[in-house]
Amino acid sequence: MKNVSMRKIVSAAAVAIGLGVAALGGGGLFGAESGGSPAPTSVEANASQSVATSTVATARKASLAVFDAPDGAPAELSPLPNPRPSGAPLVLLVVEDRPGWLQVQLPERPNGSTGWVRAGEVTTSSHQFRIEVSLGGHVLTAFDGDQRILETPVAVGAEMTPTPTGHFYTTELLRPTNPRGAYGPYAFGLSAHSDVLTDFAGGDGTVGIHGTNDPSSLGTDASHGCVRIDNEAITFLAESVPAGTPVDIVA
């Protein structure tokens, strides 16, 4: 892959929604930890991609009630704390909009869980960013509308600790205490959880996208389930995409 100059884009959506940058001490995310390698490639228009707008709900209260149905007398599920344990605001990706209610994807087990929240208890915003991760191709591609803004090699889960596939979203942006450490300078938490690890480094096996101090691992199956990318690439994503960005992980 030929490297070209990476275009630095600071999204207005990232400012409007809030990236929720917090310190990351070592718990929560997982990945066979290791950062910086073949420089990512930034490319321009990819007209074959359809433009989709995502709606993101940000909690307004310290605890957000979640229900299993929008009308009548829905059963209340476990409330979600706001902010998150890291200090980042609670953001949820909207799946469906009904009068007075929003169906949202939840950052909880099992993967793909959804629930309903009252529209008056959140604020909403929209953007057109999305991320695709190909496990077999070992590549992450990021889009802003119909423009492909980043393509970069990745390391993904090893055979015994695979990266889960599915439709997820970025829940928070974390700033590790050691930018030269296993997670690199930034780490996105995802709504995805490992299918085989229920706890790791003090967390519950949450999957993330983060930098690495082992650039030789990029292009291989090497992590505990997280998606590792070059430190320059994770910095670019941190400056570009907001919390609530859809992430499709495919085989």
Side-chain angles (χ1 to χ4, degrees), residues 95-146:
V95 177
E96 183 179 347
D97 185 349
R98 294 189 186 179
W101 293 89
L102 297 172
Q103 186 183 31
V104 295
Q105 188 171 351
L106 302 175
E108 298 187 334
R109 294 179 184 273
N111 287 335
S113 295
T114 62
W116 293 84
V117 299
R118 294 187 178 95
E121 295 186 354
V122 299
T123 58
T124 59
S125 55
S126 61
H127 65 84
Q128 293 186 333
F129 292 96
R130 59 191 174 87
I131 293 172
E132 296 177 0
V133 177
S134 169
L135 301 181
H138 293 94
V139 64
L140 177 150
T141 309
F143 299 89
D144 179 2
D146 62 357

Side-chain angles (χ1 to χ4, degrees), residues 29-35 155-158 161 163 182-183 197 200 210-214 217 220-228:
L29 300 177
F30 66 84
E33 295 19 273
S34 319
V156 298
T161 53
T163 302
Y183 296 106
L197 297 177
F200 188 88
H210 60 75
T212 178
N213 60 6
D214 181 14
S217 70
T220 72
D221 300 342
S223 79
H224 284 95
C226 280
V227 177
R228 301 180 196 165

Side-chain angles (χ1 to χ4, degrees), residues 130-134 164-169 245-250:
R130 59 191 174 87
I131 293 172
E132 296 177 0
V133 177
S134 169
T165 59
H167 180 68
F168 309 110
Y169 72 95
T245 293
V247 178
D248 287 303
I249 302 178
V250 300

